[in-house]
Amino acid sequence: MSPYESRDAAAGPVTADDAVRSRRAVLKGIAAGSFAASTSLLPARAEAAGAANWVAEADVLIVGSGVAGTAAALAATSRGASVIMLEKLPFKGGTTAKSGGVFWIPDNAWLKRQGVADTRIDALRYMVRLAHPQRYAANDPLLGISQAEFDLIAAFYDNGSKVLDTLVATTGLKLVPWTTWEGKAYPDYYSDLPENTVRRGRSLVPDVSGHPERVIWPNNGGAGESLLWALQQGFDKLPIQLLLDHAVLDVTRDASGVINGLMVDRGDAAPVAFKAKRAVVFASGGFTHHPELARSHLKGHIWGGCAAPGSTGDFVAIAQRAGAVLGNMSNAWWGQVPVEVALKTRSVPVDVWSTPGDSMIQVNRHGRRFVNEKIQYNERTQAHFTWDPVKGEYPNLLGFMLWDARTAKHYAGYDPIPAASAKLEQIIEGATLEQLAANIDARLAKIATHTGGLKLDKDFVKTLRGTIKRYNAAAKKGVDEDYSRGQATIEVAFQFMNAAKAPNPYPNITMHPIADAGPYYAVILGAGTLDTKGGPVINPNGQVLDTRSQPIPRLYAAGNCIASPAGAAYWAGGGTIGPAMTFGYLAGAAAAGEAVRT
Ligand SMILES: Cc1cc2nc3c(=O)[nH]c(=O)nc-3n(C[C@H](O)[C@H](O)[C@H](O)COP(=O)(O)OP(=O)(O)OC[C@H]3O[C@@H](n4cnc5c(N)ncnc54)[C@H](O)[C@@H]3O)c2cc1C
């Protein structure tokens, strides 16, 4: 904890539990999965406090201390502006700090050093093809999408590598490519598409060698904290004040209605007003932990997500009141979550990144496989949303990841498979498939009130035996005719990520027959998010647009709190942090360029 932060140093290192212990009503109930609708209090409180008595002022006020906010702060100060960053949690970093810290930047310096040409048109084709697949048109000047959508994706390509070069030159950030267990640069998530001409090397990570131990999320393997640490190395020499435990409730306006500051709950009897001499930038994360917003906007049901607890979508209501138009509200950065864990703690520690194991499948309540278990998390998760119009059910609402003793041994400790010595409540065991099914049903009975009373189908075990028989034959052959498991380059890259290389004599390293005899293990999985990616629409400067597509004066935003330029896509590992960093920087720079109000 450095001196420029407001949290009392005597309070000691922060832990993830601080989030749920925080005094903030904003967070009340997240741990229990019930949400205290903090945003419903906002208008009345903001009005009641008035905006005339400023407690502090800066050229640019930034809401949120994740990567988008940090990049915005660096850009603003590089243009001579003073900054106050307001963070509602008692610790900094948001979901970024929990993350793997990977960032995806097309045409980046590392690629250039390798002599790889990542041309504008090819990169744009790849991005648009996945962001808006139903409208993509390869030879259309706008690739089939609207001018505004095209401009945002183009702005990402045109500025991403420049922003990154600037950050490398001006902060402690050093880059290395994100590499696979094979020692190769990581492939993009759709590296095999014909539109992808570069395939590998757009995903980078911070060089973490100088970073001391992680303190905020000690049990998270990722380098997100290192990324922020590197970016924030010079913060104490810059005119940046980071205030923790400061929850932004709303914007304030001057007599002519133009935004001129923020109403903030900092634990006093009443909210206080902070003045923005130039502009405000929201970088406040998504709405994963606002169940009502998630229910009414996302394209399928989620049980929770691994976003940090501050992702309660506060900007959605604030921006709507400011007249913003919303976009991309149905999409998220999807990830499967263990349902029983999420029902206890909506903000789960981590999602099921790459489903570990080879003698492992995922089946639905009918005992049928329903997805390529190895396809990357964003795509795999969406298989939970399928609706069966004949039966009138979501057959895959819950998935049952099932594995045998072999996978339990070789992939021990690779989430959600427990370490050899660990007994995790969410892991269900059975000496036989019949016993496993009975134990799953017993668990389902316990959570029935949350699932519409979902049970295993009466023929579950019989169907499951057939499923395993077919899967085992496919594993021996190395070809999965049902779901193409192990065919995409990314699936092979993910197979031994963080896991010891398990010996597998069969031709497809992602598949191994499941043992004929128990013990068997299972965990109940469902849809979740890393965080959402819908919100107010911005332009390439990061200005928030109103319902007539005009910029709302002095209001900027970036990161997961906006309608992501990525649309439906998850282009590659780092596909969320890359754009958040780029647009955060652009927003901070443009905000600093606003005239000082007199
Ligand atoms: C386990 C995990 C691994 C991941 N790995 C990667 C990866 O390797 N690469 C990648 O690209 N993405 C990854 N992601 C996703 C990525 O972390 C996020 O998409 C990204 O960091 C979001 O950045 P952000 O700045 O928009 O928001 P955040 O980092 O979430 O920051 C938003 C901040 O705003 C604060 N805030 C919210 N409301 C208010 C308010 N009203 N007042 C004041 N403050 C407020 C929040 O508390 C939070 O600190 C991962 C996510 C998880 C959970």
Side-chain angles (χ1 to χ4, degrees), residues 63-68 86-89 93-96 98-102 220 246-248 283-285 306 310 314 350 353 530 559-560 570 574-577:
V63 188
S65 62
V67 67
L86 301 144
E87 166 56 57
K88 77 174 170 185
L89 291 186
T95 303
T96 309
K98 278 187 86 176
S99 77
V102 182
N220 258 66
H246 280 59
V248 171
S284 49
C306 57
D314 301 0
V350 71
W353 200 254
L530 277 62
N560 285 343
Y570 206 127
T576 94
I577 291 181

Side-chain angles (χ1 to χ4, degrees), residues 308-382:
S311 288
T312 49
D314 301 0
F315 190 43
V316 174
I318 294 172
Q320 278 182 304
R321 285 195 294 276
V325 62
L326 300 181
N328 209 34
M329 292 292 281
S330 63
N331 286 312
W333 313 108
W334 307 108
Q336 286 181 302
V337 294
V339 171
E340 289 173 284
V341 176
L343 286 173
K344 286 190 197 128
T345 311
R346 190 175 170 93
S347 179
V348 299
V350 71
D351 69 319
V352 180
W353 200 254
S354 141
T355 323
D358 45 21
S359 49
M360 172 282 301
I361 52 175
Q362 288 193 27
V363 297
N364 64 13
R365 64 175 286 270
H366 298 284
R368 295 199 181 91
R369 286 176 71 206
F370 63 97
V371 69
N372 174 341
E373 296 86 350
K374 292 289 171 177
I375 206 77
Q376 38 86 8
Y377 43 97
N378 187 64
E379 314 305 326
R380 189 184 341 122
T381 303
Q382 295 177 64

Side-chain angles (χ1 to χ4, degrees), residues 113-198:
R113 281 202 294 277
Q114 314 308 306
V116 178
D118 191 0
T119 66
R120 189 172 195 265
I121 185 62
D122 286 344
L124 292 183
R125 281 197 177 123
Y126 176 67
M127 288 192 274
V128 175
R129 156 80 174 77
L130 291 170
H132 306 283
Q134 69 281 27
R135 287 184 288 145
Y136 172 66
N139 296 319
D140 181 81
L142 298 178
L143 301 177
I145 59 177
S146 73
Q147 184 75 54
E149 290 165 327
F150 182 88
D151 289 348
L152 277 177
I153 295 186
F156 175 50
Y157 177 89
D158 294 339
N159 294 285
S161 63
K162 286 184 204 151
V163 166
L164 187 56
D165 291 348
T166 305
L167 293 174
V168 168
T170 56
T171 70
L173 185 61
K174 291 189 210 116
L175 308 177
V176 281
W178 190 33
T179 42
T180 70
W181 57 274
E182 303 155 289
K184 295 182 185 164
Y186 246 92
D188 289 344
Y189 285 174
Y190 279 96
S191 62
D192 306 316
L193 279 182
E195 286 82 8
N196 195 330
T197 54
V198 168

Side-chain angles (χ1 to χ4, degrees), residues 57-73:
E57 64 173 35
D59 288 317
V60 179
L61 299 179
I62 295 175
V63 188
S65 62
V67 67
T70 299

